[in-house]
Amino acid sequence: MIKKEDVIEFFDELSADWDKDLKHNDEIINIILDNANIKEGIDVLDVACGTGVLFNDYLNRNVNSLTGVDISSGMIEVAKQKFNDERIKLVCTDVEDLSEEGKYDVVMIYNAFPHFINPQSLIKKCASLLKENGTLSIAHGMSRAKIDAHHHGPASKVSNGLMEAEDLLKLFEPYFEVKTVISNDEMYQVSGIKK
């Protein structure tokens, strides 16, 4: 089982160079954002936001506010250096410790889900952070097989592997009406509307 302190240490060490290897497929990102209901005037929580890899995409859609949360202080520091927009709030904490219940229209977990110790608890927590009819979206900009292969090396000690989309759907069902289940050669996404 992965340990939170290992996850923090791993991402702190990588934070300074994180953006160098970043691949940004605009077509896939736009599909993910559309399926997550990212649109003008909403309040977004980006969980495990890293260096803010999706921040410009949210801002280009004119979100009202954007809160980025990450347990890696290194990642948050890089994000702070990159972004100076009054709509953005950055918090270095575990999402499980956030107390902003019912505040967000969308909670997005992008390219981070395998690094969470307890997926079931995470999904329940995300449901509590959402407004009525809010959307939770868990997505990756590559296939499940590619994610698992990517995490096979040094990241193996901080990754549970990416579960089958159908298994994630089952974790969503107590809290969400699932609208999107995609697991193909290009992307992975499960999204739902809070019940």
Side-chain angles (χ1 to χ4, degrees):
M1 188 164 118
I2 61 176
K3 297 179 183 153
K4 190 193 311 189
E5 53 272 13
D6 289 340
V7 174
I8 294 168
E9 181 182 1
F10 181 83
F11 286 102
D12 277 350
E13 287 177 5
L14 294 176
S15 60
D17 294 323
W18 188 255
D19 291 342
K20 286 181 183 172
D21 297 324
L22 195 62
K23 293 174 180 67
H24 201 84
N25 182 325
D26 289 336
E27 184 181 348
I28 297 297
I29 296 296
N30 280 319
I31 292 168
I32 288 170
L33 297 180
D34 288 346
N35 290 338
N37 296 319
I38 302 292
K39 57 191 176 193
E40 185 172 354
I42 65 167
D43 300 307
V44 177
L45 174 64
D46 187 326
V47 175
C49 66
T51 62
V53 296
L54 290 182
F55 285 10
N56 283 324
D57 300 288
Y58 300 134
L59 297 175
N60 287 339
R61 289 183 179 221
N62 295 314
V63 299
N64 178 58
S65 75
L66 168 56
T67 301
V69 61
D70 202 293
I71 60 170
S72 164
S73 61
M75 291 288 186
I76 290 292
E77 285 308 312
V78 172
K80 283 180 179 176
Q81 292 167 20
K82 287 169 58 179
F83 297 98
N84 183 20
D85 189 300
E86 61 190 24
R87 293 173 286 178
I88 298 174
K89 174 183 166 187
L90 292 164
V91 183
C92 183
T93 191
D94 185 330
V95 66
E96 298 270 1
D97 297 329
L98 276 185
S99 59
E100 300 177 316
E101 296 198 353
K103 182 173 178 183
Y104 301 100
D105 297 292
V106 174
V107 173
M108 174 69 84
I109 303 171
Y110 177 71
N111 284 357
F113 188 60
H115 305 296
F116 286 90
I117 295 164
N118 187 333
Q120 192 166 12
S121 173
L122 172 68
I123 289 164
K124 181 179 180 183
K125 178 63 178 185
C126 289
S128 77
L129 296 168
L130 284 162
K131 297 176 186 176
E132 187 176 344
N133 298 316
T135 300
L136 171 62
S137 186
I138 295 175
H140 286 269
M142 62 177 73
S143 71
R144 181 173 169 266
K146 285 183 182 171
I147 289 289
D148 285 345
H150 178 69
H151 289 162
H152 186 69
S156 62
K157 74 173 187 174
V158 294
S159 175
N160 287 318
L162 185 56
M163 68 175 60
E164 294 275 0
E166 292 74 23
D167 294 332
L168 182 53
L169 163 68
K170 290 173 187 161
L171 293 183
F172 267 59
E173 285 180 331
Y175 312 101
F176 297 93
E177 181 184 344
V178 176
K179 298 291 188 182
T180 304
V181 180
I182 300 170
S183 185
N184 60 33
D185 290 340
E186 295 185 313
M187 61 176 283
Y188 174 103
Q189 186 172 26
V190 176
S191 295
I193 307 295
K194 183 177 176 179
K195 290 181 178 177

